[in-house]
Amino acid sequence: MKSFLKSILTNYLAVASLWLGIGSAASGNLWIGGGGDNLWSNIDNWSQQVVPINAFADPRFGFDDPAGPFYPLTPSTDDDGPIGNNDVKLQENGTVTLIDDSVGIASAFGVRVGNGGATNTLMISGGRLDIGIDPNVDPSANAVGWHLQVGRGYPGFDGGPTDPNPKATVIMSGGEVNTNGVLIPEQFVNHNLEDPTDSEPLNGELIMSGGVINARWMNLGQLKGNGSAELSGDAVINIKSNVANDPSNGGHLSFNRNWFLNGLPVPSSGNVSLDIRDNAIINIYGHLSGLIQSPDVSEVTRYQSHVDAGELTADSGADEPTIFLDDTIGLLKICALDADFDSDCDTDDDDLLAWQTGYGMTGTPGDLTTFGDADNDGDVDGADFLEFQIEYGTGVSDDAQPLLGTVPEPSSLVLACCATMTVGGRRRLINAQSLTSSRSTHTG
Ligand SMILES: [Ca+2]
Ligand SMILES: [Ca+2]
Ligand SMILES: [Ca+2]
Ligand SMILES: [Ca+2]
């Protein structure tokens, strides 16, 4: 494993020295924001006057620069437009790049938000961003894509701004991102410094209130770079290897992974945090390791250690997330669902049964969470059913999409629950009806 990483690093540094000389102008397609809007699809917003295209030409390397370091690994020079057009760099301060439904499918070899120490934002409200390749592609294709960086380099790297403490942000409220890695941030060392590890840190932040990210791996924090993520609403992150029998990449969520300098690991020390709430879900299939190819109990322990360290939190830090391993299918989930009474990171009929069974119970707040007390106020009542109803169907399928198709009609749930009731049935029916009408009021 170490030698694998070392060779990656060596190759990378060789490439970097060729390709990204310090102080030289950045290669690639830079966001210049010259259009009348901030849409990805506007040709005038790009330095090459072409919207990044055709990252799928070779998902390993994506662009076909005959003078570039990766040539001749991508021997065709005519299948992806102008040279390097899809090596996307957002490295102006203060810009916002938008991908929405009107953009459709955006594709790129790499998307470097906050490149070279810029403070800027990528917003995704709809559409799709494919970086390298869809991780759900047929594994026999043996495809490897590239990365979404939320912060890349260090201040001044690659010709970027030199302001200290820059921050790159990705805000996602909808849409879909398919990428190899998500790095928040990808901090580099500045080899011009006497001690390269003194490089000024970057800050990266991912704020997801919706949408889906499919990635093979994701890391928060690198070297001194600080990384944070906030997942809320219906946000979904699926982490899954797309290469059969290749354990070198895939299925890994990490915090402060080691960097390597001259082949030796340099521990990372940035501030890292990942908070999850509402219906947001992280599904992790597999593990980035030559030793472990699918989640096992040690993975639960590893994620729990990040909970214990306060790096992995729920409900804006007020709670701890649920870490659930379904070892029948090798899937580890992280969630903070309020109506997941049996703590398996879904809200389904099992949880309805728990609420039905617990209905009417009272006790100490916090003690009835497994009996249907979704709002944690020490009773199991109609308000808890409302929570259940809102969450119903979340996290149920392997794909973690909204899955059951339809949320059960309140009336049918009431009938189902009350068919089993004898004493007290009338009160339950009234409660359920009143919460139905109150929900209608809220959701209008
Ligand atoms: Ca459940
Ligand atoms: Ca279940
Ligand atoms: Ca309650
Ligand atoms: Ca209550």
Side-chain angles (χ1 to χ4, degrees):
M1 189 60 192
K2 194 182 228 178
S3 63
F4 168 78
L5 288 172
K6 191 171 175 178
S7 91
I8 288 284
L9 178 78
T10 305
N11 291 338
Y12 179 79
L13 289 179
V15 164
S17 62
L18 283 170
W19 182 32
L20 302 171
I22 307 298
S24 66
S27 61
N29 202 355
L30 279 61
W31 181 267
I32 56 171
D37 55 42
N38 61 354
L39 288 169
W40 176 288
S41 50
N42 187 335
I43 193 172
D44 292 329
N45 285 328
W46 298 101
S47 65
Q48 296 197 10
Q49 289 287 294
V50 61
V51 175
I53 52 170
N54 288 349
F56 288 90
D58 185 326
R60 291 170 185 272
F61 304 105
F63 70 98
D64 298 326
D65 180 355
F70 295 123
Y71 198 81
L73 290 169
T74 55
S76 170
T77 57
D78 58 6
D79 60 2
D80 67 352
I83 290 171
N85 82 88
N86 47 25
D87 182 17
V88 167
K89 295 177 179 174
L90 312 183
Q91 66 180 59
E92 293 288 327
N93 278 333
T95 61
V96 177
T97 302
L98 175 63
I99 297 173
D100 65 9
D101 281 332
S102 79
V103 171
I105 299 175
S107 68
F109 146 71
V111 177
R112 301 75 153 77
V113 185
N115 194 54
T119 292
N120 55 30
T121 300
L122 173 64
M123 291 188 80
I124 303 171
S125 64
R128 204 173 97 192
L129 172 60
D130 291 335
I131 301 174
I133 197 165
D134 181 344
N136 296 316
V137 74
D138 179 0
S140 66
N142 198 34
V144 179
W146 279 62
H147 311 313
L148 172 63
Q149 285 110 343
V150 190
R152 177 173 183 261
Y154 50 81
F157 171 79
D158 201 14
T162 55
D163 313 81
N165 226 22
K167 183 172 184 180
T169 306
V170 171
I171 299 174
M172 193 167 174
S173 58
E176 180 180 330
V177 172
N178 299 305
T179 183
N180 182 37
V182 181
L183 300 101
I184 315 171
E186 186 173 30
Q187 175 86 44
F188 298 160
V189 296
N190 182 350
H191 286 279
N192 292 336
L193 300 177
E194 189 175 342
D195 178 355
T197 63
D198 282 341
S199 303
E200 286 284 331
L202 304 180
N203 303 283
E205 183 168 37
L206 170 67
I207 301 173
M208 277 183 89
S209 59
V212 179
I213 294 178
N214 297 307
R216 299 175 70 205
W217 54 279
M218 175 167 154
N219 179 70
L220 295 99
Q222 182 167 294
L223 291 165
K224 291 177 182 170
N226 306 305
S228 65
E230 291 177 20
L231 278 56
S232 64
D234 294 318
V236 175
I237 296 179
N238 296 312
I239 299 179
K240 185 176 187 177
S241 174
N242 65 331
V243 180
N245 304 314
D246 175 7
S248 61
N249 266 307
H252 188 74
L253 169 65
S254 57
F255 297 76
N256 269 331
R257 68 174 187 172
N258 282 344
W259 182 246
F260 286 77
L261 197 57
N262 301 322
L264 299 173
V266 179
S268 294
S269 58
N271 295 320
V272 290
S273 65
L274 191 158
D275 188 82
I276 187 166
R277 59 190 156 97
D278 304 337
N279 298 357
I281 293 269
I282 303 174
N283 299 301
I284 301 171
Y285 308 75
H287 184 281
L288 183 142
S289 165
L291 305 175
I292 304 170
Q293 298 207 24
S294 64
D296 65 7
V297 173
S298 70
E299 279 295 271
V300 176
T301 304
R302 188 171 69 82
Y303 289 115
Q304 185 62 44
S305 75
H306 294 296
V307 174
D308 296 342
E311 296 168 343
L312 183 52
T313 58
D315 298 340
S316 303
D319 205 349
E320 295 185 352
T322 299
I323 299 169
F324 173 72
L325 172 67
D326 182 346
D327 52 13
T328 61
I329 55 173
L331 171 60
L332 189 147
K333 297 184 175 192
I334 300 172
C335 72
L337 295 168
D338 293 322
D340 174 27
F341 306 122
D342 61 355
S343 297
D344 63 350
C345 277
D346 63 29
T347 299
D348 64 3
D349 293 342
D350 303 330
D351 305 297
L352 175 61
L353 184 62
W355 177 84
Q356 285 178 303
T357 305
Y359 185 82
M361 287 177 73
T362 56
T364 305
D367 285 356
L368 299 178
T369 50
T370 60
F371 300 101
D373 185 11
D375 60 4
N376 230 5
D377 68 344
D379 63 29
V380 181
D381 63 8
D384 304 307
F385 176 80
L386 177 58
E387 258 327 301
F388 166 83
Q389 194 181 35
I390 292 169
E391 288 183 4
Y392 183 73
T394 303
V396 173
S397 113
D398 284 3
D399 295 331
Q401 299 296 318
L403 319 168
L404 292 188
T406 54
V407 172
E409 287 299 317
S411 58
S412 66
L413 279 177
V414 169
L415 290 173
C417 89
C418 297
T420 63
M421 292 175 191
T422 50
V423 181
R426 179 180 169 80
R427 187 169 63 92
R428 296 181 197 194
L429 183 59
I430 290 168
N431 277 348
Q433 283 178 332
S434 65
L435 70 86
T436 300
S437 57
S438 88
R439 190 191 185 203
S440 303
T441 304
H442 286 305
T443 57

